Amino acid sequence: VPEVLESIATHRINSATLVPTMFQMLIDHPLFASADLSSMEMVASGAAPMPMALQHRVIAAFDGINLYQNDGMTEAAPIVTSLDAKYHVVSGPGSEKLGSVGKPAPHVELRIVDEHGAELAPGETGEVLARGDNIMTGYWRLPEQTAEALRGGWYHTGDAGYLDADGFLFLEGRVKDMIVSGGENIYPIEIENVLASHPAVHQCAVIGVPHDTWGEAVHAVVLLEAECEAPPSERELIDYCRARIATYKCPVGVSFRTEPMPLSPINKILKTELRKPFWEGRSSSLV
């Protein structure tokens, strides 16, 4: 982090794209408050949905700098949607779009479909499909994977989300991260947003773990704030969720970590690594 902040000041960098964990690392660092960001004109977020609590912190921390959120992938070269800076406000006109990843780029069409490929209405969650001249023609020497990803002429992103009435895309996470508990489809991001708003929670991830009756149960993995004077109990965090979202979506268990979350090379939390201890010796397509 110090090297990044020093580089911005020394080289007068005016734009950057970061993933949510990078934003958190920056604004949590003690040098951030005194850093010279006067050259920065634009900062974009991508690669993963940003928790609402973190979005509010980022808006405050980068006051006066244009903020954008982009959704994309290598297969789309890479932008699919973008949320304009004018929607990065916590109240007033446009604030209802905060939490979305914006509208499709001019060259992109989007559809939301169910598991059978049927198109869903605004507000209904399913897999995000994209089509446009920016979409890849295929994976190199992988014809079967190409046919699966591009079936029906649309790229199947593997992302779960919904479009609102105005065409803004709200992501719920990855389809493979969806938890099926007692026949209910549960998307982790809603629960993660609630947990992240707890003042003692520094970082969290919600996963599905085996359950003999329900198939899967909702489980939260939590990293507490380093200077937390009164650490919350497992019961307290579960009750905190129960007061804010439907009971069936709430964690039935919480694991507290002291070591950092496992991260990919681009600093995305590796939920596959978090799931492994729970699914070891069991059949699961998620691990």
Side-chain angles (χ1 to χ4, degrees):
V1 171
E3 291 83 357
V4 171
L5 296 175
E6 182 180 351
S7 294
I8 292 172
T10 301
H11 301 291
R12 307 301 295 164
I13 293 171
N14 60 16
S15 65
T17 299
L18 309 172
V19 306
T21 50
M22 292 176 179
F23 275 103
Q24 187 161 15
M25 290 175 186
L26 283 174
I27 60 181
D28 282 347
H29 199 278
L31 291 177
F32 182 81
S34 59
D36 179 7
L37 303 180
S38 59
S39 63
M40 296 298 294
E41 299 174 7
M42 183 277 288
V43 183
S45 175
M50 183 182 293
M52 285 297 291
L54 180 56
Q55 290 200 48
H56 288 191
R57 293 183 65 199
V58 168
I59 290 170
F62 289 84
D63 185 37
I65 299 173
N66 289 318
L67 296 172
Y68 293 84
Q69 288 206 51
N70 298 322
D71 178 52
M73 59 282 301
T74 303
E75 292 89 342
I79 299 299
V80 174
T81 68
S82 183
L83 183 68
D84 195 80
K86 66 183 179 181
Y87 298 108
H88 285 76
V89 289
V90 298
S91 62
S95 60
E96 73 281 358
K97 304 303 183 186
L98 187 65
S100 82
V101 290
K103 301 188 76 171
H107 52 277
V108 175
E109 296 178 72
L110 289 185
R111 295 177 67 204
I112 309 295
V113 302
D114 65 16
E115 63 270 26
H116 306 295
E119 189 161 358
L120 296 174
E124 295 183 328
T125 297
E127 185 175 6
V128 181
L129 274 55
R131 183 169 68 180
D133 291 340
N134 61 313
I135 301 298
M136 68 169 187
T137 57
Y139 295 112
W140 179 250
R141 294 181 177 176
L142 295 173
E144 293 182 2
Q145 290 89 331
T146 296
E148 176 67 15
L150 297 177
R151 60 190 186 275
W154 291 80
Y155 174 60
H156 290 62
T157 68
D159 288 330
Y162 65 90
L163 293 168
D164 72 4
D166 299 317
F168 285 73
L169 177 63
F170 288 77
L171 292 179
E172 301 281 8
R174 298 288 291 169
V175 171
K176 66 180 181 181
D177 289 336
M178 182 182 74
I179 301 164
V180 182
S181 182
E184 296 284 355
N185 293 345
I186 301 169
Y187 292 93
I189 193 169
E190 182 180 6
I191 310 156
E192 290 166 352
N193 275 329
V194 172
L195 284 169
S197 71
H198 191 287
V201 173
H202 176 70
Q203 202 172 34
C204 65
V206 169
I207 58 174
V209 299
H211 192 281
D212 291 338
T213 302
W214 304 333
E216 286 185 285
V218 179
H219 188 88
V221 182
V222 171
L223 185 64
L224 296 176
E225 293 286 356
E227 299 178 358
C228 181
E229 295 181 358
S233 65
E234 178 182 37
R235 184 73 256 166
E236 181 181 338
L237 289 181
I238 292 172
D239 289 344
Y240 184 82
C241 291
R242 284 174 172 263
R244 291 162 175 81
I245 54 176
T247 300
Y248 76 91
K249 297 180 181 180
C250 294
V252 298
V254 177
S255 297
F256 293 96
R257 287 178 69 93
T258 54
E259 65 272 27
M261 293 284 191
L263 300 176
S264 73
I266 58 170
N267 289 305
K268 294 170 68 172
I269 293 176
L270 291 172
K271 291 188 176 181
T272 52
E273 293 300 310
L274 297 178
R275 282 190 286 258
K276 278 182 180 178
F278 297 95
W279 289 95
E280 189 173 3
R282 292 174 177 255
S283 176
S284 172
S285 61
L286 298 175
V287 178

